Amino acid sequence: MHKRIAVIGECMLEMNLNSDCRSHHSEPRLNAGLSFGGDTLNTALYMSRLGAKVDYVTALGDDHLSDWMLRQWRAEGIGCDLVKRETNASLGLYLIETDGRGERTFHYWRDRAPARRLLDSPQAAKQLFEQLQQFDAVYLSGISLAILSPYGRECLFDFLAKFRQGGGQVIFDGNYRPRLWGSETLTRKAYEQMLRLTDIALPTFEDEQLLFSDKDTNATLTRFRELGVAEIVLKLGGDGCLVVQQNHDPQLVPALKVVPLDTTAAGDSFNAGYLASRLAGNSAEDAAHIGHRLASTVIQHRGAIISKSAMPESPEVI
């Protein structure tokens, strides 16, 4: 029986601006057309492509671009029954500026995006949480937490505690974005509260250093263990990841060495490969290899979502 996972977050319209840092005379170039992306949506989509049963949980507007986005998600096999539609609202937008080394800078227009108000209505939140009880696992990120109102965030924490008590699995990717929070003290408190409710954590060491001033990976892993996280996958960029289960020693799983064109969605796609494999019953080490394989392919293409034809031939994960 396939495990079902609900992914909570925000998806926005995506535009891409390319520039080449190797030449001071190069003018930025805006790619034609629109795409879409968002950390949790990227993970949900790639998980679906790998055969996982995924539903996306968010709020969209009632405009034609929101209609278009929903059609794209359904075509990817993502369940959309839990996507809320808000009247007289439109989507958030982000622009990616990528330099000649594949490193990216993001520019956002998202302050009025409907996903920010997903849990602001007590009645709507109660209905959503009742629907989420049917899932085996819930996945969210630090961005999912950051965009919610303080009230919505506390409602989510209360639900996740009950969800775990009922046997559900909670999965969290820190994905720290300082501009979304405004206060490091508030962020650290929210992350610690979230980690106490987390079964599988997928942090990035660079983010942990930035937010918690961790001196080394041991500091990060120790904090996560003390907060009760049973399975930790600490992402180290091009060096791979450290996998820790229960009280076992960390195991380094190296990444594949490739030359990146655009590192957008590197961590999101790794998470997708890892989780699709783990939810299918594979070992953490095998899951990390699948995550690295997908991520190494994604970063050799521009944008968050690569074409289906560019997907790697992956080992069975279902």
Side-chain angles (χ1 to χ4, degrees), residues 2-277:
H2 291 288
K3 289 187 176 181
R4 298 184 62 197
I5 182 169
V7 177
I8 302 173
E10 175 191 32
C11 185
M12 295 172 287
L13 294 171
E14 175 190 286
M15 300 179 70
N16 213 303
L17 190 69
N18 300 323
S19 59
D20 191 341
C21 67
R22 293 168 295 188
S23 171
H24 295 292
H25 303 291
S26 297
E27 291 294 332
R29 177 171 54 84
L30 185 65
N31 284 359
L34 285 174
S35 184
F36 57 84
D39 64 335
T40 51
L41 187 279
N42 302 337
T43 297
L45 185 146
Y46 285 123
M47 285 186 70
S48 181
R49 288 185 180 180
L50 292 175
K53 298 183 75 66
V54 185
D55 279 61
Y56 196 54
V57 183
T58 192
L60 301 178
D62 59 353
D63 58 315
H64 70 282
L65 286 173
S66 295
D67 294 337
W68 167 78
M69 194 177 286
L70 269 177
R71 289 195 298 271
Q72 302 302 309
W73 298 351
R74 291 190 175 112
E76 290 283 354
I78 299 171
C80 296
D81 291 346
L82 301 184
V83 176
K84 177 184 175 183
R85 303 298 297 273
E86 185 175 305
T87 57
N88 300 318
S90 56
L91 298 166
L93 170 70
Y94 73 101
L95 182 146
I96 307 172
E97 187 171 6
T98 312
D99 65 21
R101 296 169 296 180
E103 294 301 323
R104 75 273 197 231
T105 303
F106 295 92
H107 308 274
Y108 295 98
W109 296 265
R110 75 199 306 176
D111 289 347
R112 300 181 66 183
R116 288 177 169 265
R117 297 178 291 278
L118 178 64
L119 301 178
D120 283 357
S121 163
Q123 183 177 358
K126 180 181 178 182
Q127 181 180 7
L128 173 60
F129 293 151
E130 289 174 351
Q131 292 170 308
L132 287 174
Q133 292 287 358
Q134 65 186 299
F135 289 85
D136 300 290
V138 168
Y139 170 88
L140 66 151
S141 74
I143 293 177
S144 308
L145 295 180
I147 64 170
L148 294 175
S149 66
Y151 171 81
R153 198 178 302 133
E154 288 303 318
C155 287
L156 179 60
F157 288 150
D158 288 343
F159 161 73
L160 292 176
K162 296 173 183 175
F163 182 71
R164 290 184 82 205
Q165 289 172 2
Q169 191 173 42
V170 176
I171 306 165
F172 179 61
D173 171 15
N175 209 5
Y176 174 50
R177 296 293 180 267
R179 291 184 182 180
L180 290 176
W181 287 94
S183 165
E184 287 187 358
T185 300
L186 171 66
T187 312
R188 285 192 290 265
K189 180 180 177 181
Y191 274 47
E192 289 171 354
Q193 190 171 354
M194 180 67 219
L195 289 170
R196 290 189 180 95
L197 302 169
T198 297
D199 298 291
I200 300 176
L202 297 155
T204 298
F205 181 54
E206 185 178 359
D207 288 349
E208 300 304 313
Q209 283 185 304
L210 183 61
L211 180 57
F212 290 95
S213 301
D214 290 345
K215 295 181 179 180
D216 52 33
T217 58
N218 285 333
T220 302
L221 296 176
T222 297
R223 185 176 68 257
F224 276 61
R225 282 169 158 171
E226 290 176 347
L227 290 169
V229 183
E231 183 170 327
I232 309 162
V233 184
L234 182 59
K235 291 170 286 191
L236 307 174
D239 292 329
C241 66
L242 289 171
V243 177
V244 182
Q245 291 181 282
Q246 300 297 339
N247 294 318
H248 296 165
D249 291 336
Q251 181 177 7
L252 176 64
V253 181
L256 298 176
K257 299 300 182 182
V258 298
V259 178
L261 177 65
D262 180 355
T263 57
T264 304
D268 307 334
S269 56
F270 171 86
N271 292 351
Y274 185 86
L275 293 175
S277 182

